[in-house]
Structures are given as C-alpha cells and as structure tokens.
Amino acid sequence: MAAAMPLALLVLLLLGRKGWCLAEPPRDSLREELVITPLPSGDVAATFQFRTRWDSELQREGVSHYRLFPKALGQLISKYSLRELHLSFTQGFWRTRYWGPPFLQAPSGAELWVWFQDTVTDVDKSWKELSNVLSGIFCASLNFIDSTNTDNETLEVNPPPTTTYQDVILGTRKIYAIYDLFDTAMINNSRNLNIQLKWKRPPENEAPPVPFLHAQRYVSGYGLQKGELSTLLYNTHPYRAFPVLLLDTVPWYLRLYVHTLTITSKGKENKPSYIHYQPAQDRLQPHLLEMLIQLPANSVTKVSIQFERALLKWTEYTPDPNHGFYVSPSVLSALVPSVVAAKPVDWEESPLFNSLFPVSDGSNYFVRLYTEPLLVNLPTPDFSMPYNVICLTCTVVAVCYGSFYNLLTRTFHIEEPRTGGLAKRLANLIRRARGVPPL
Amino acid sequence: MGLLSDPVRRRALARLVLRLNAPLCVLSYVAGIAWFLALVFPPLTQRTYMSENAMGSTMVEEQFAGGDRARAFARDFAAHRKKSGALPVAWLERTMRSVGLEVYTQSFSRKLPFPDETHERYMVSGTNVYGILRAPRAASTESLVLTVPCGSDSTNSQAVGLLLALAAHFRGQIYWAKDIIFLVTEHDLLGTEAWLEAYHDVNVTGMQSSPLQGRAGAIQAAVALELSSDVVTSLDVAVEGLNGQLPNLDLLNLFQTFCQKGGLLCTLQGKLQPQDWTSLDGPLQGLQTLLLMVLRQASGRPHGSHGLFLRYRVEALTLRGINSFRQYKYDLVAVGKALEGMFRKLNHLLERLHQSFFLYLLPALSRFVSIGLYMPAAGFLLLVLGLKYALELWMQLHEAEVGLEEPGGAPGPSVPLPPSQGVGLASLVAPLLISQAMGLALYVLPVLGQHVATQHFPVAEAEAVVLTLLAIYAAGLALPHNTHRVVSTQAPDRGWMALKLVALIYLALQLGCIALTNFSLGFLLATTMVPAAALAKPHGPRTLYAALLVLTSPAATLLGSLFLWRELQEAPLSLAEGWQLFLAALAQGVLEHHTYGALLFPLLSLGLYPCWLLFWNVLFWK
C-alpha cells in the first residue's frame, strides 16, 4: 500500500560548550530509527529517522575534517553563522484526523526556518544567500522564499521538553515489538533476518481514537471576484477546552477584508483573546494574521475571512497560470490536554519511538499542526493568440464605434450668420449711413 | 465618414435606407436563417481536436477488469435499495470504506415551492454519500469527481456498481496526483445541488444541508454516470448544463478519444454520427443533431447532474448508457475502461481545462462550430431590429419633425420641438410601466398565490401555479384596451412609432445579451420574435399581424419547440400530448428556477414577455 508520507529532513544542531580533547574517540555518531505504523485507512506509514550528532563548534574551530556530518551543510553553517537550521520538503499531506499526530510535523511543500547567531548583522542578506545556496544543494526553488511570502511570528509557544511519557492512551493499549538492529548478537543468531509484519484490520466499530485537535481548511464561494477562507478547528476532547494559536500567512494578491473575520463555535461568536494582524503590502509582504482562540470542549470552531482576488500584472503570473496560486497552510500551535498514564523514558535514546506517546508536562502536551495548502484561482488573462486578437479587435471596434455613434446621434445644421447684438446693429446703421460695407 | 457628416448626403443616404428598408430587412432575416442552416456544412463545421497538451500526447493503458465486481456491487446495491426503499446509506458507507475510501455523508432537505408532479416530490430530504480517494502524490489541493445521481426509481444501480468497482481499482494505483471523489447523490439533481453548495460553502437556492466533513481542494473536472443495465449498446454524452453553459470542448474530445480507442459506440443527442460529410446526407443528419442541441441548450435546464457543476467552473459531462436493440453490446468493463482512461488523462492535467472552446455547437461528436462562425447568424437577425427598423423609425420620426418645421417657414432656434417630444415620451411611460408590472405579476403571483387558488378552485397546487401562469399571460393581451385610455394621443402616428422604437431597442438589447451568453436561446427567440416585432403596426391587416404576434409570443415558441423537439427525436406528439407536455414544461421551468437557479423563467417573465406586450400594444394603438 502506498503511504502518503511526508518525507521530512530535519537537521538539528546541538551546539554545546562541552570541553573537548583529542584523545577521545570520534565525537560524531549516527543513529537510525524506523517505525512502521499500520494506518486505519489500510496504508502503512514508514517513518525513518537518521540522526547525525556531532558535538563541535563549527564557527570557532574552522573544521576541515568531516566524518559523518555532511560537509556541504557544515560549511554552510560555519559560513553563515547559523544557530539552528530547519529544512523540510514534503510531498502529500498527513491526515491527522485519521492517522493521528505524525512523528514529525511539516507543512506540504518546502519550509525553511533559520536562526542566525547574534554576530550576524545583515540578516536579510544572509538569508538571501543561504536560501540560494540551499536551493543549489537541494535542487529546489528555495530562493523564491523572500519577503513576499515569509513572516516573523510574534508569539511562539516553546518547543517540547525532553522527557516523554508513555502508555495507555484513551483506553486503547498499544503493544510494540522493538528490535535493536545494532545488536550484533541478534543478527548473527538468526541466519537471515526477516521481519514480517502482520496486521489485522480492526473491526468497523473499533475506530482508532480521534486526536483531540485537528483542522481543515478550504476556500468557499465561486467565481473569480471574491471568496472566503474558512478554517475549521475541531476540539474533540469530551470536557476540556484549550487555547490554540492560529497563524495564517496569506499572499498579498488575496486582499483580505479584515472586518469580515468571524470566529464561531457552537453557533456563538468566539472572541479571540489575542489578535495580531499585519496587513499586506502589494508585492512586498503577505498578510499575517495571528490569533489565540479558546476552543470549547467537544466543538467545531469556524474561522472565516473574506477576500477579493487581485488582478496581477501580466508578468507576475507564474508559468501555468491557470493552475492557480497556492496559499500556504495555516499553522496551529496548542497545548493539548493528554489522557496518559505516564512513564518517563529517556528521550535521547530513541526519540522517534518515544514520540509515539505525547510529550507531556503532566496534563498537556505540545502540538503543532499544519492544515492543507490551498489552491486559489485568480482572474487570469488568456495568454494565447486569440487573446491578442480579441484585444486588437476590441480596440478597433471601440474606435469605430465611438465615431459611428457620434455621427449617428449628432445632428448637423448649417449655421446662419446671426445679425448680432444691439451695438453691432448700431455700428452697421452708422456704417450704412457712411456708405461703408457693414460688419 | 464624410458621407455621414455632410447633412445633404446624409439625407440622401437616409432616403435610400428608408426606400430599401423592407427588402433589406427581408434579406437580413433570410441571411440569418441561411447562415444557421449552413453551419452544418464542412467549411463552417470543423473537426474537433485536442488542444490541451497534458491530455494529448501521452497515451495511457487501461487495466480495469472489475466487471464481475461491478455487477456484484450493483446487485447488492439494488437489493439493499429495494429493502430500505431509499438510498442504502449504511451499506454504501460500509462498502466504500471497505474499498479504502475516506467516507462521509451529508444530509439535506428542501421544501419545493410547490409539489413537483413529474418527479412526485414536495418535501424532499435525503442523504448523499461520498468517498474520497486520497492521492499519495499531492496535498489534496485538486480533485476530480465521479458522480452517480440516484432518483426515487430503481435506476442507476449499475452505475453505482461501476463506481464502486472503479474506486476499488483506482485505490490500488499509485499514480494519482489529484484526489478523486466518488459521489452518490439521492434525489438526483437536488442531491447534487445540495452537495455542491455545501462543498463550496454557499447557499444559492435555499437548500438546508449539513456541512461537509471532508473536502479535497479545487475540483478540476467531473463526470456523471447513468447506467441502468449490465450491457449497453452505446454511450450517450450530454453536455448542456444549467442556463446553457457548456463544458470545455477538450473534455468532450477526451471522451471521444477513449470511445474510439475502446471501440465503443458513442452518440450525441441519441443520434449516431454521420460518416459521410461530403454528400448531403451527413450534413442533414448533422442538422438534426444541431437543432436538438439548440433546443436543449435553449431550455437552460441541466440535462444531467453535470449541468450543476458548471456554475462552479468545474468542467463536467454526463455519460448515459443506452440499451437498445442493436447488434453490438458492451459490458461494464468497456465502459469502466473508458472512464479509467479519462480519469488518468485528467489526472495528468497541470492546469484547469482552459485551452479549447467553451462556446460551441455540435452537429456531431467529432465536428463543432465555434463561436466566431455561428454568431453571424444571430447578428443578421438582430440587424433587422437594430439597424434597419429602429433606424427607419428614428428617421421617420426625425423626418416628421423636420416636416412639421418646414411648413412653419421660420428656421427656429432649437431643432426638435420640445412640446411634441415631451408628449411622445410621456405617453410611453404608461404602457412601459403596465407591461413591466404584468411581467412582475407573472413572475411573482403564480407561486405566491397558489394557496389562494387551491382554496377557491378545485385544483392541486402544481396545477394552480400553471393555470395562474397562463391566466396572467392571457390577461396581458387585454392590456391595450386598458392603456389607451390612459394614454393621451395628441400626435396620432408619433405615439405608436415612439413606442415601437423603444420596444425594438429593448428587444434588440435583450436578444443581443441572451445570444452572447446562451446563443441557442437568443437565436431561437430572435427567429420567432423578430419578424412579428418588425411588422407590428396599427394599420394594415391587423388580424393577420395579431395572429402572427400571438404565434410568436414566448409561450407559443415554447409550445412550438416542444413539437419540434419530439419531431426531431422521431417521436411526434399529438396535440393533446403536446398540451400536457407544455403544462408540465411550464411547471418544470418555474421549479427549476427555484431549485437550481435556472434563469429562463425570470428572463421570459421579466424581460421578454413585457417587451412582447409592448408590440401587442403597438398593434392595437388607437
């Protein structure tokens, strides 16, 4: 079965200030992990994680010898003084509603997220160079990520802590078989290692637990003038309400009408406790809308805002303009209540496996969700021969029509020379008396 | 230009136009009709061709072999449907889930404005079931739809069977880059409308429905399927949608390509394709198909559930399996393969279908007439109204003014005489207002007053609506006897001339706009209304004019179209049948306006009927 699986590449740099000495064995290590999860839809999710860990300070030491850590990245990190670099490429979409929360969350498409060292003075310049270099390395058009589609969040919930808890979630007990493939004894003892995974489809009535928070986003309305962006936020927790931070970045060519922003839960208006809105500037920066919304227990909250589709300049249309324009996913960050009987495990040992169980500080765990990206059609001129012909014909018709209309509706009269005013008559009388031709 | 700006030459030209007016009008009208008839001959019809690159160059291999499975699904579905007496929602959900789709349901309800006697429904409530096949290669930004509308009768079971078998087959393939939505709707088009409105989160027709739980991005194309037997002799394709909208021609080309590839027999308007276009037979057969298409498009009703998708800019068509007594029969595998091929090609699309024609007429499946070639036909007919007659009346009015001025001798300071002009325009206000009010009454009263009518007369609601409609329509004919008392007639000829001038301009404008959006309707109305409108005047053989005017009124055109329609389908109507069909069509027209937003009824009642009344008024001007 084909698994719709995001392929995420995550490079974590842990820059500690540990003492080092040359006598020690190599300081870098590689860990691999694979978790195979049968999904209720009949698909199988295979999640791989490759972790290269290297305790080194690339900026200071001028490292020239690389063992496991990719040199291309290492040089990049030291050259641009990066503190953290997150880069993800995703194909497909992870369906949280049916498959539960994924191990590694990433939006569809590419996402680049960088923290520079304090020593970097011109961040814009570094960003531009870095994205260009990265797009070269990964053969992706990352260099198109510029100010028109990036944003700086103002409110950020802290990343998860480093201990995990595990076990019975919502009454369903999970049993896992764990093999340590690095254990040479196991591989040597069995002549060929075949791992067979048999999975029995659960009966219809035994649906897997639905995650407490999931979301859906769509464009409503029809026609090419207006539209509406709607986001549905589901809180399926039976009795607990929790706040969610919703971050929307909308490209400038969808002109948002902020007065139409409505948030309703259970048929009533829901007032967000925090709103940050930064309007778009044409061709410079996108709309940024950030809201902290309280989701009542067991409810669907609908966030909708109307927009008008802008007419672009004809050089601004991308190739294949009739495909439509993408709107990036909205990002949901929340501390979701957990119903977990807890048992702490060392997170460092096998992070992927342990993140099967929500990370928790007791009663909540941190979740970041991405909704699906949207495809919006803008009014698109016909970039073809007939279009040019129509333009030309219309011009000719307009010119001809104007003059014909003029001629047809205007009446022409021959102006008789008028006899003039009193002064002129008097003057003519005098002239006649003088025998001079009149005026 | 100099010709028109020089007053002397201009007057000469005007005289010429006035003298040659009648022959020019006749010539223009004949040219319009002749042009239309000539559309079926090869220089004007062209071969269809695929414009979209993404669908053209690559060929796909169809592997669908689930004929038995489809038949088994169909049998189960029919059995469950018979048992429950409605759409077996639970069974559909279970089956769709078992083939690996994400399944959702949507319930809807709608109270029709009055009982629909053709489909026997009034308070409608039902449930749509749809399953989404998630494409592994994309993030649910685009989707395709395969839909089967299920009515109250037990047809279309085979279509549901084929839909499920195709879903099971598609689920095993890895190449999908667009989500595919498999939709089964209840109460045929009502269900489709409810689903479409909920999908786009709009409410156009006052439908009550539950919100959709699952979506799959922007719908790129849709195919509706109607099959009621295990074997078919041919596949008929319907393109005409709501308000005469048509899908992109490339979608039709795609269907035709796969029919040819699989050796399937396909028909258009139930007619086989003529093979020989060089002799007269081919074009004559093409003319029959063309006329059928014009009549269908002019009716503005969706001919299949695909017609409702077109409003949302989703290219769609309906495929109907026909089982008649012909030699070659095809089973569900052949139909399934054609559908698989179409969906795989649509899956290749990079952009929305936009390359080929959106406005066309089809004399055969492989031949089309583009908008640039058929528009002159309507243009010639409108020329009769616009240029010649309006021009003639305008000039006559103008000449009359000049004639009035000339005996006075003194070249006055201002050209038109203000008093006479003022009276002329004021006299127009009453007939215009009254006829427009009549139109408004025709639009509003039948549905509004149905309960009053059922209380006082022994009729059902639907009958009441139709009879009120006819009564108001006929009452409009008595209008001139009411208005001419209101109208003070100072200048005898100027009054009706001014009224006719206004009516002609009004008619020309309306027909022009209609012909641009729905050519068939515009052309049909122009063919019938133009001659009578041009001839109407209060002198001469009035009875003859009146008869002609009544025969070409919008309602009479509808009746005539029904007879022509059945004649072309080779199932002629008797007079009584025709009348029954006419009454049913009136009720359907009103219903479709309220349920789907079809515009024919308001267009006729608020636009063309008042305009036609003005001509009636001109005819009986005193």
Side-chain angles (χ1 to χ4, degrees), chain A residues 126-351:
Chain A
S126 297
W127 169 265
K128 206 170 163 83
E129 283 179 20
L130 175 71
S131 58
N132 273 293
V133 172
L134 281 173
S135 56
I137 295 175
F138 291 99
C139 296
S141 311
L142 292 174
N143 46 334
F144 286 105
I145 308 183
D146 53 17
S147 63
T148 58
N149 46 21
T150 48
D151 55 71
N152 300 307
E153 302 169 50
T154 58
L155 194 68
E156 170 67 26
V157 182
N158 277 325
T162 53
T163 45
T164 57
Y165 296 79
Q166 76 172 59
D167 216 340
V168 188
I169 301 173
L170 278 180
T172 46
R173 193 178 194 86
K174 293 184 176 177
I175 302 162
Y176 296 91
I178 306 165
Y179 299 93
D180 187 352
L181 297 183
F182 289 115
D183 183 3
T184 45
M186 193 184 88
I187 294 177
N188 291 341
N189 292 348
S190 52
R191 276 178 58 103
N192 355 335
L193 177 72
N194 292 325
I195 300 174
Q196 194 184 21
L197 180 77
K198 278 193 178 174
W199 177 57
K200 217 169 143 193
R201 178 187 285 274
E204 286 293 321
N205 50 9
E206 206 180 288
V210 177
F212 288 146
L213 176 66
H214 59 98
Q216 191 195 358
R217 194 165 181 232
Y218 57 90
V219 183
S220 38
Y222 61 92
L224 287 177
Q225 198 201 347
K226 285 185 175 182
E228 192 172 34
L229 284 176
S230 305
T231 314
L232 297 178
L233 310 173
Y234 293 85
N235 174 5
T236 54
H237 198 286
Y239 53 86
R240 271 192 64 179
F242 54 84
V244 162
L245 182 71
L246 176 70
L247 173 76
D248 259 332
T249 319
V250 183
W252 64 266
Y253 39 77
L254 304 186
R255 304 189 191 285
L256 292 185
Y257 293 140
V258 187
H259 72 280
T260 61
L261 175 71
T262 47
I263 305 166
T264 46
S265 341
K266 292 183 165 176
K268 275 182 290 188
E269 198 194 333
N270 186 342
K271 258 197 137 58
S273 49
Y274 164 84
I275 288 193
H276 170 73
Y277 174 67
Q278 187 185 329
Q281 286 171 26
D282 281 7
R283 299 170 182 88
L284 288 179
Q285 77 174 34
H287 301 269
L288 175 72
L289 185 60
E290 221 175 343
M291 287 175 285
L292 192 64
I293 306 167
Q294 183 80 9
L295 303 185
N298 201 8
S299 70
V300 185
T301 305
K302 183 176 176 185
V303 181
S304 62
I305 185 164
Q306 289 176 14
F307 64 84
E308 193 182 273
R309 298 161 204 245
L311 188 64
L312 302 186
K313 289 179 182 166
W314 71 280
T315 48
E316 286 169 348
Y317 287 93
T318 51
D320 295 337
N322 281 289
H323 177 65
F325 289 75
Y326 286 103
V327 177
S328 54
S330 14
V331 187
L332 289 166
S333 318
L335 281 172
V336 174
S338 50
V339 188
V340 171
K343 177 185 162 202
V345 186
D346 183 11
W347 193 72
E348 273 300 301
E349 273 304 303
S350 48

Side-chain angles (χ1 to χ4, degrees), chain B residues 297-321:
Chain B
Q297 200 190 0
S299 76
R301 54 185 305 203
H303 289 268
S305 62
H306 76 281
L308 299 172
F309 283 85
L310 296 173
R311 174 192 289 158
Y312 302 93
R313 213 184 155 210
V314 176
E315 307 310 321
L317 43 79
T318 292
L319 305 182
R320 234 172 239 132

Side-chain angles (χ1 to χ4, degrees), chain A residues 49-112:
Chain A
Q49 178 156 294
F50 304 98
R51 285 191 305 153
T52 310
R53 188 183 167 128
W54 190 14
D55 293 329
S56 158
E57 287 203 47
L58 290 165
Q59 276 90 28
R60 301 210 176 161
E61 294 163 18
V63 182
S64 58
H65 178 68
Y66 287 83
R67 213 172 69 95
L68 293 171
F69 197 83
K71 189 175 176 185
L73 277 178
Q75 286 175 334
L76 210 68
I77 287 156
S78 63
K79 173 150 191 228
Y80 296 107
S81 312
L82 306 182
R83 246 169 69 200
E84 274 184 46
L85 168 75
H86 302 254
L87 176 63
S88 74
F89 293 106
T90 314
Q91 192 194 37
F93 182 69
W94 185 270
R95 314 212 169 266
T96 315
R97 161 81 176 74
Y98 292 94
W99 302 342
F103 296 109
L104 301 166
Q105 253 313 352
S108 27
E111 187 191 54
L112 177 61

Side-chain angles (χ1 to χ4, degrees), chain B residues 55-241:
Chain B
M55 296 198 304
S57 56
T58 51
M59 220 52 215
V60 294
E61 189 195 354
E62 304 91 338
Q63 293 164 330
F64 177 70
D68 293 332
R69 205 167 178 193
R71 276 188 292 277
F73 278 137
R75 266 196 308 276
D76 277 10
F77 175 75
H80 278 92
R81 194 182 187 184
K82 209 170 174 185
K83 206 162 69 186
S84 65
L87 196 72
V89 176
W91 180 84
L92 268 174
E93 270 187 278
R94 213 166 47 239
T95 318
M96 280 189 177
R97 202 163 281 137
S98 75
V99 300
L101 302 182
E102 236 181 79
V103 190
Y104 303 94
T105 57
Q106 180 216 6
S107 55
F108 62 93
S109 67
R110 175 85 164 90
K111 186 178 169 231
L112 301 182
F114 56 92
D116 181 355
E117 294 194 334
T118 324
H119 298 96
E120 289 170 358
R121 57 191 182 192
Y122 182 39
M123 311 274 277
V124 182
S125 67
T127 312
N128 297 325
V129 184
Y130 65 104
I132 304 177
L133 166 59
R134 296 294 185 184
R137 286 165 179 262
S140 290
T141 46
E142 295 167 280
S143 56
L144 305 171
V145 174
L146 177 62
T147 174
V148 173
C150 288
S152 48
D153 47 353
S154 58
T155 52
N156 267 0
S157 299
Q158 275 75 7
V160 174
L162 186 57
L163 173 131
L164 291 169
L166 274 174
H169 174 66
F170 285 179
R171 176 74 172 111
Q173 311 304 321
I174 51 160
Y175 40 66
W176 297 115
K178 294 179 172 55
D179 288 7
I180 303 177
I181 302 175
F182 296 91
L183 168 68
V184 180
T185 62
E186 203 174 359
H187 300 294
D188 44 52
L189 298 198
L190 278 178
T192 314
E193 179 66 34
W195 188 82
L196 279 169
E197 284 186 13
Y199 193 92
H200 294 94
D201 205 1
V202 288
N203 198 335
V204 188
T205 59
M207 181 84 69
Q208 275 126 29
S209 64
S210 60
L212 295 192
Q213 297 288 316
R215 284 188 173 77
I219 305 175
Q220 304 290 309
V223 177
L225 188 63
E226 293 178 19
L227 288 177
S228 298
S229 56
D230 285 346
V231 287
V232 294
T233 50
S234 64
L235 272 183
D236 191 57
V237 56
V239 286
E240 302 86 358

